[in-house]
Amino acid sequence: MTRRIVLGLFKDFDQAFAAIAEIREHKVPGVSVDDVILKSPIEHPEVEEVLGERPAHVPKFTLAGAIFGMTFGFLFLASAQATFLVQPQGGKPVVPLPSNFVLTYEMLILFGVLFTLVSFIVGAGLFRRRPPLYSEMISLDQVGVMLEVEEEQAEALKELFRRHKVVEIREEAVR
Amino acid sequence: MQTKDINEQIAWAKINKDVLRSMENPRSGYWIAVGICVAMVLVAILAEIYQYNAGLGVGNLNWPHMWDLYIATFIFWIGMSHSGTLLSAILHIVHADWRKPIYRFAEAMTTFSLMTAALFPVLHLGRVWNMYWVLPYVSDRGLWPNFRSPLIWDAFAIFTYLTSSALFLYVGMIPDLAICRDNAHGWRRKLYTVLSLGWAGTDRQWRHFRKAYLLMACFLIPLAVSVHSIVSSDFAMSIMPGWHVTTFPPYFVAGALYSGCAAIITLFVLLRYFFRFEEYMTIPILEKTVKLTFAIAMVWSYLWIIEFLAAWYGGHKADVEILVSKFTGPYSPFFITMIFCGTVLPFTLAFERLRRHLPTMFVVSLLFNLGMWLERWMIVTPTLAQAYHPFAWNVMWPSVVQWAIVFGSFGWFGLLFLVFVKIFPSVSMYEVKEMVYHRRRHVVEELAVKYHRRAGDPQPVTDNPGT
């Protein structure tokens, strides 16, 4: 069975959201709102209201990075300072907490930022081959609604898009 | 009088067009500016080569003046870097959307200021080849750097801040790099294709982007505070009179924000004029930035006054002598100029007509930064000139070598910035689109027609028209 990817380009968010609302109401049998990929030049603040909650695990990685940075930072410093055991400390502790706090804090932030970056790149699916049916109009001023559907559903979907004044429809077969 | 931060009717396509146009075809003025910056950098390189061969003495850096303009300028550039954090991170978290047209170049300033600042600890060493001693690197005798020293903290802090701010700048630019990719040709297209990482504007990408950007902003704020606190620790953790002051960390942070804001005003005026960004860098946005600068100037003024009152009230003899010498000693003209530029001059910002006058704001912002640079010099040098041992008292004036390197740093910063604005968008296109979109939704045309007050409105009717 052949599957097709259909992209509808709309002039603004209102028209695109209206089209998605109809998809949510199963106006195209067999097509779910969970299959919708919304492409836009900006992030609409209400996009989650329209598409529903979708996961983004960036904060968990950030927390993991911060904890790793803090632990690594302190242990790194402490293990380096432990090599001074053979030397006179002038009455100071071998592992001084006040000064190590400052450097541990810096490491916490550094690794927190690095883990955030990595989780963003992985989570957002960057570095992969560009998704099909990319339109340069999306980076300009149009909003795209893209779905992968069965071939027999494609015509109904395009008709739905047309009802909401779609500017352009593009499609291609899934390879 | 322009009252709106931005014209909400501006088309998204026009935003792309205007910003992308600013990256094309540099005019002769641009190349003249590049030439001046390159000349300044070359002079600084020659001065450094001479200093490298002859020793720090040619810069008049002799005991007890081991730190002078180099460290003062180092603090100045670190301070300048706080502009991006303030405008981008803090105002992003509090949803102040007026920052959107101007935060990109402020973030770039942060990164380039740090790249400039990082040169000075190397240069002031004299033995520049030993710079790696501050890195967490074990020697062949199993010895590590002294992690108790604030100088080592500096290395950690600057590395973390430079890495984080550069990543913050880059991540925030990815959607715009995709716009550039879609509109560029030749080598630029290849560059933007690589840098945009395959951005396609999907809801998944935006969702992760928003969270990552917010979290990075959250990290950057405490980081900025810690970096300048650490720089202040270079002084405050010593026992030198005039430096061993509890209020130094907040004083340094306030000074950093002040000079950063002043630099934003300077670059705001220049970019608006040269790139014709009148529709994005509007007078109301300038006014908001100026008001913020005024508030920070008052915080900074309060803190330096408190610093001196504490020395006066504390009665520590060496501290009081340093204080008196700053007002009456050989460096007093610079100290008084600092007070004038940093504390008196900001009161010009209280006048609306001046706040909205671009040439005035340009000159005033330069003077603010002159005051802030003098402030750093007046922290470093007077204390070294008159510390605890009278036999070591020595007034020192920087030599041509030091001045050449200091001026060269401004050329280096300018060069980096000039290259940036021609390769990367200096106004965030997608954020300006967001700003326009949100504001457009809040303006209902029919209500505006019905209720807005206009010049042609009927005049009030009086009871006695004859009087």
Side-chain angles (χ1 to χ4, degrees):
Chain A
M1 194 176 285
T2 322
R3 289 182 69 81
R4 298 191 76 76
I5 299 173
V6 181
L7 170 71
L9 292 170
F10 295 87
K11 205 177 74 176
D12 58 37
F13 277 106
D14 292 343
Q15 292 165 353
F17 284 0
I20 294 171
E22 285 205 9
I23 293 169
R24 200 169 53 231
E25 290 161 11
H26 301 289
K27 293 281 173 70
V28 181
V31 174
S32 161
V33 73
D34 293 334
D35 303 326
V36 170
I37 294 174
L38 185 73
K39 295 180 172 185
S40 55
I42 63 169
E43 192 202 17
H44 194 281
E46 290 152 24
V47 68
E48 287 183 351
E49 308 291 329
V50 179
L51 296 177
E53 281 288 322
R54 291 182 176 184
H57 301 295
V58 178
K60 291 173 193 163
F61 284 88
T62 305
L63 180 64
I67 292 170
F68 172 79
M70 191 171 64
T71 314
F72 167 77
F74 187 81
L75 291 179
F76 172 76
L77 293 169
S79 57
Q81 286 156 339
T83 62
F84 287 94
L85 277 172
V86 292
Q87 296 178 354
Q89 301 297 319
K92 300 282 185 185
V94 175
V95 180
L97 293 181
S99 60
N100 284 10
F101 171 78
V102 176
L103 298 179
T104 304
Y105 185 76
E106 297 297 322
M107 290 295 100
L108 179 155
I109 290 176
L110 179 63
F111 282 95
V113 168
L114 292 175
F115 274 52
T116 303
L117 176 73
V118 172
S119 66
F120 160 61
I121 289 171
V122 174
L126 298 175
F127 273 135
R128 293 184 189 166
R129 198 169 60 85
R130 208 184 297 174
L133 291 181
Y134 179 76
S135 169
E136 290 171 0
M137 296 307 290
I138 288 166
S139 71
L140 187 66
D141 58 0
Q142 292 186 359
V143 181
V145 178
M146 192 171 84
L147 291 106
E148 187 181 318
V149 292
E150 302 295 342
E151 187 152 25
E152 60 270 21
Q153 294 165 332
E155 200 48 48
L157 183 64
K158 284 192 274 184
E159 188 50 42
L160 186 151
F161 285 165
R162 284 190 202 104
R163 278 204 302 277
H164 294 284
K165 298 176 187 168
V166 68
V167 177
E168 185 188 346
I169 295 176
R170 296 184 184 186
E171 60 180 317
E172 69 176 36
V174 177
R175 289 173 206 143
Chain B
M1 188 168 75
Q2 192 178 10
T3 54
K4 288 180 177 177
D5 290 339
I6 200 157
N7 171 18
E8 63 271 355
Q9 300 307 331
I10 192 166
W12 283 3
K14 183 175 168 16
I15 296 169
N16 279 15
K17 190 177 158 197
D18 288 346
V19 177
L20 294 172
R21 190 195 59 212
S22 74
M23 297 158 63
E24 296 167 353
N25 304 328
R27 288 184 291 178
S28 53
Y30 176 83
W31 291 115
I32 292 168
V34 169
I36 292 169
C37 290
V38 169
M40 290 165 78
V41 172
L42 286 176
V43 170
I45 290 171
L46 289 175
E48 170 55 22
I49 291 170
Y50 175 52
Q51 182 179 260
Y52 181 88
N53 287 315
L56 286 172
V58 296
N60 284 354
L61 284 170
N62 289 307
W63 186 79
H65 288 278
M66 298 312 188
W67 292 359
D68 197 57
L69 291 192
Y70 295 154
I71 294 301
T73 313
F74 162 71
I75 309 167
F76 173 78
W77 284 116
I78 291 278
M80 189 83 89
S81 70
H82 282 50
S83 56
T85 313
L86 174 73
L87 256 183
S88 192
I90 300 176
L91 297 182
H92 173 68
I93 284 175
V94 298
H95 297 290
D97 75 341
W98 59 267
R99 70 181 249 291
K100 289 180 175 175
I102 60 170
Y103 83 89
R104 173 68 51 71
F105 75 81
E107 277 182 13
M109 268 176 57
T110 294
T111 305
F112 300 145
S113 304
L114 283 167
M115 288 168 71
T116 311
L119 298 174
F120 281 95
V122 183
L123 296 178
H124 105 289
L125 283 179
R127 299 173 185 178
V128 291
W129 58 91
N130 285 335
M131 182 58 203
Y132 72 94
W133 284 4
V134 297
L135 301 177
Y137 166 83
V138 64
S139 76
D140 53 3
R141 293 184 180 181
L143 295 177
W144 291 80
N146 181 7
F147 294 115
R148 294 191 186 99
S149 165
L151 301 180
I152 303 295
W153 303 354
D154 268 346
F156 272 73
I158 291 170
F159 176 75
T160 304
Y161 197 27
L162 183 56
T163 309
S164 304
S165 61
L167 291 175
F168 189 57
L169 170 66
Y170 173 60
V171 167
M173 230 173 9
I174 288 175
D176 278 349
L177 292 171
I179 297 174
C180 296
R181 174 197 63 202
D182 294 346
N183 292 277
H185 306 282
W187 67 269
R188 281 182 181 261
R189 191 180 182 92
K190 287 177 188 162
L191 176 73
Y192 299 135
T193 301
V194 172
L195 292 178
S196 60
L197 307 178
W199 180 268
T202 63
D203 57 285
R204 176 184 173 186
Q205 290 175 342
W206 281 117
R207 196 164 59 249
H208 284 82
F209 174 82
R210 186 192 60 201
K211 292 206 171 176
Y213 195 69
L214 180 68
L215 287 163
M216 288 173 100
C218 292
F219 274 122
L220 222 63
I221 296 165
L223 178 60
V225 173
S226 79
V227 168
H228 225 49
S229 303
I230 286 172
V231 171
S232 78
S233 301
D234 294 345
F235 301 89
M237 293 212 177
S238 74
I239 55 167
M240 298 286 275
W243 288 358
H244 191 59
V245 181
T246 318
T247 55
F248 253 29
Y251 174 52
F252 270 52
V253 173
L257 294 174
Y258 186 9
S259 62
C261 279
I264 287 171
I265 296 171
T266 308
L267 292 175
F268 180 106
V269 176
L270 290 175
L271 287 175
R272 179 187 150 103
Y273 178 75
F274 285 109
F275 289 162
R276 302 278 182 267
F277 279 153
E278 289 88 353
E279 288 195 87
Y280 310 103
M281 298 181 183
T282 59
I283 298 294
I285 291 179
L286 174 69
E287 219 182 344
K288 287 186 171 75
T289 315
V290 167
K291 285 175 182 171
L292 190 64
T293 309
F294 180 65
I296 295 169
M298 292 302 104
V299 173
W300 175 82
S301 301
Y302 170 77
L303 285 167
W304 82 253
I305 291 168
I306 279 294
E307 180 199 334
F308 284 98
L309 288 179
W312 182 13
Y313 191 63
H316 188 270
K317 199 158 187 223
D319 279 343
V320 174
E321 281 181 7
I322 292 282
L323 171 61
V324 172
S325 82
K326 282 185 179 175
F327 280 101
T328 60
Y331 298 109
S332 61
F334 302 105
F335 186 71
I336 290 163
T337 307
M338 174 205 104
I339 293 173
F340 174 77
C341 292
T343 300
V344 180
L345 202 59
F347 284 96
T348 55
L349 307 183
F351 301 97
E352 188 181 11
R353 183 174 286 186
L354 294 178
R355 281 201 306 264
R356 301 176 75 92
H357 191 247
L358 289 163
T360 305
M361 281 304 101
F362 180 70
V363 173
V364 164
S365 64
L366 286 175
L367 290 174
F368 286 164
N369 260 323
L370 173 68
M372 296 317 295
W373 184 83
L374 287 172
E375 180 230 5
R376 276 61 188 249
W377 189 26
M378 290 302 101
I379 288 172
V380 176
T381 300
T383 286
L384 292 172
Q386 197 177 335
Y388 282 115
H389 305 298
F391 63 86
W393 287 1
N394 175 29
V395 173
M396 190 280 283
W397 299 105
S399 75
V400 176
V401 172
Q402 273 203 72
W403 285 115
I405 290 174
V406 167
F407 280 116
S409 73
F410 287 87
W412 168 246
F413 173 83
L415 191 59
L416 290 171
F417 195 80
L418 285 168
V419 171
F420 175 83
V421 295
K422 280 294 165 191
I423 295 182
F424 300 104
S426 48
V427 170
S428 171
M429 290 177 270
Y430 73 93
E431 292 230 47
V432 172
K433 287 177 190 171
E434 282 180 5
M435 183 181 179
V436 166
Y437 180 77
H438 292 307
R439 296 205 172 198
R440 202 181 288 163
R441 288 178 77 89
H442 284 94
V443 174
V444 181
E445 195 63 34
E446 297 82 44
L447 288 178
V449 170
K450 197 171 176 186
Y451 295 119
H452 283 195
R453 193 168 175 181
R454 297 179 196 288
D457 287 349
Q459 296 300 308
V461 179
T462 56
D463 292 341
N464 187 357
T467 55

